[in-house]
Amino acid sequence: MDNTELKKVANEVRKGIITGVHAAKSGHPGGSLSAADIFTFLYFEEMNVDPANPRDPKRDRFVLSKGHTAPGLYATLAQKGFFPVSDLETLRHIGSHLQGHPNMNDTPGIDMSTGSLGQGISTAVGMAISAKMFNEDYRVYTLLGDGEIEEGQVWEAAMLAGNHKLDNFVAIVDNNNLQIDGAITEVNPPYPIDEKFRAFNFHVVNVDDGSDFDQLRAAFKEARETKGAPTAIICKTVKGKGVSFMENQVGWHGKAPNDAEYEIAMKDLERIGEAL
């Protein structure tokens, strides 16, 4: 897909995020919106996945380590065709397959159930080791939050990935600089993120704008071409991106828009879509 097509998909993903969280009256829009372009690039350009065969043993794997941003992943899977877009309106409802955190048993396209921060990258590393052991060609990707990487378990997993030279493994950090309690610089700064991953034997790519598809394309190309080491892609992003009153506002980490706010958000996204 060209960049304009990817931008259009990402904008629809953002609409799906707002639709789902509003319908649920709960959820996590801020970090879902900041990662929307990353989700879009992964599923529409980077990864080998097929909605018609979601359990294909040769498929690439994706693990949402920051599992609370499930609305972003669900909206992307719906756009890709894993399930109807209308299902997003059932987010967090009783009986829905779209719960507050991903469930691999109920939702097509989900490779790992996640939610407890730090555990997603650990299971993703295990998948990458399995691929190496059985000489499989699939690649494994995981998305972490910058607040999440304050968890010690993240670095235990990183140590294992680096020591096993898992060049089929990519860890992506959504670096929007905000977590539930405030700016990560004020809570428990993990900076310098890139140097930390290098210390664990990762090849590191810094992306100055995680919503720029040219930059994302170059970063993932570099990851594919890197041999003998896992790759960490550190993406600077904007929490709440695309919705005027949510951008860079920590209060929208885990809060649903009311009816009036929903209308404003959808109008913001409609304007963005019309300009593409």
Side-chain angles (χ1 to χ4, degrees):
M1 300 179 76
D2 64 29
N3 286 357
T4 299
E5 291 172 316
L6 288 168
K7 288 177 182 178
K8 288 179 178 178
V9 172
N11 198 55
E12 292 303 311
V13 167
R14 288 188 166 93
K15 289 180 185 177
I17 292 166
I18 297 301
T19 296
V21 175
H22 172 255
K25 295 182 171 55
S26 66
H28 295 79
S32 295
L33 291 165
S34 67
D37 303 289
I38 298 169
F39 285 132
T40 298
F41 189 84
L42 282 168
Y43 279 90
F44 285 84
E45 185 152 328
E46 174 66 14
M47 295 198 309
N48 173 33
V49 292
D50 181 3
N53 188 11
R55 291 297 180 189
D56 182 356
K58 296 187 180 301
R59 74 191 184 283
D60 290 334
R61 271 68 164 174
F62 175 75
V63 178
L64 181 60
S65 199
K66 58 168 194 165
H68 55 281
T69 58
L73 178 55
Y74 295 155
T76 308
L77 292 173
Q79 287 297 318
K80 186 70 175 177
F82 281 89
F83 48 81
V85 173
S86 59
D87 286 5
L88 299 175
E89 297 178 13
T90 72
L91 178 67
R92 292 188 171 217
H93 286 54
I94 293 174
S96 173
H97 67 98
L98 303 180
Q99 288 303 310
H101 293 83
N103 184 339
M104 65 189 291
N105 298 309
D106 295 337
T107 310
I110 299 296
D111 292 315
M112 188 63 209
S113 302
T114 55
S116 184
L117 297 179
Q119 291 185 2
I121 182 176
S122 300
T123 57
V125 168
M127 292 175 184
I129 290 174
S130 177
K132 291 289 187 181
M133 289 178 64
F134 293 99
N135 296 311
E136 298 288 352
D137 292 331
Y138 65 80
R139 294 175 64 76
V140 182
Y141 302 82
T142 187
L143 180 66
L144 302 114
D146 50 7
E148 178 186 8
I149 64 173
E150 296 164 9
E151 294 277 0
Q153 184 173 348
V154 169
W155 301 104
E156 294 177 31
M159 186 192 310
L160 188 63
N163 287 336
H164 280 266
K165 302 180 179 6
L166 299 180
D167 50 17
N168 60 341
F169 176 68
V170 181
I172 309 143
V173 179
D174 181 12
N175 183 200
N176 59 40
N177 202 54
L178 292 173
Q179 60 188 104
I180 190 169
D181 292 325
I184 65 170
T185 48
E186 298 171 0
V187 178
N188 189 25
Y191 298 115
I193 299 171
D194 51 358
E195 292 302 323
K196 283 186 171 65
F197 274 100
R198 287 192 185 98
F200 284 86
N201 300 312
F202 273 67
H203 176 73
V204 176
V205 183
N206 285 301
V207 174
D208 291 335
D209 182 355
S211 293
D212 184 308
F213 287 111
D214 284 332
Q215 291 184 43
L216 291 174
R217 187 175 291 106
F220 284 100
K221 179 175 184 291
E222 189 171 331
R224 282 184 171 273
E225 293 173 349
T226 297
K227 303 303 177 185
T231 296
I233 300 176
I234 317 300
C235 296
K236 290 183 180 178
T237 61
V238 175
K239 194 135 185 168
K241 186 170 177 64
V243 177
S244 56
F245 59 89
M246 292 187 184
E247 289 193 354
N248 284 316
Q249 299 299 312
V250 71
W252 289 101
H253 174 89
K255 182 176 70 171
N258 60 30
D259 290 349
E261 291 164 336
Y262 169 78
E263 294 295 334
I264 295 169
M266 295 302 281
K267 286 179 181 177
D268 284 346
L269 295 169
E270 288 290 348
R271 283 192 290 269
I272 291 171
E274 290 168 0
L276 293 174

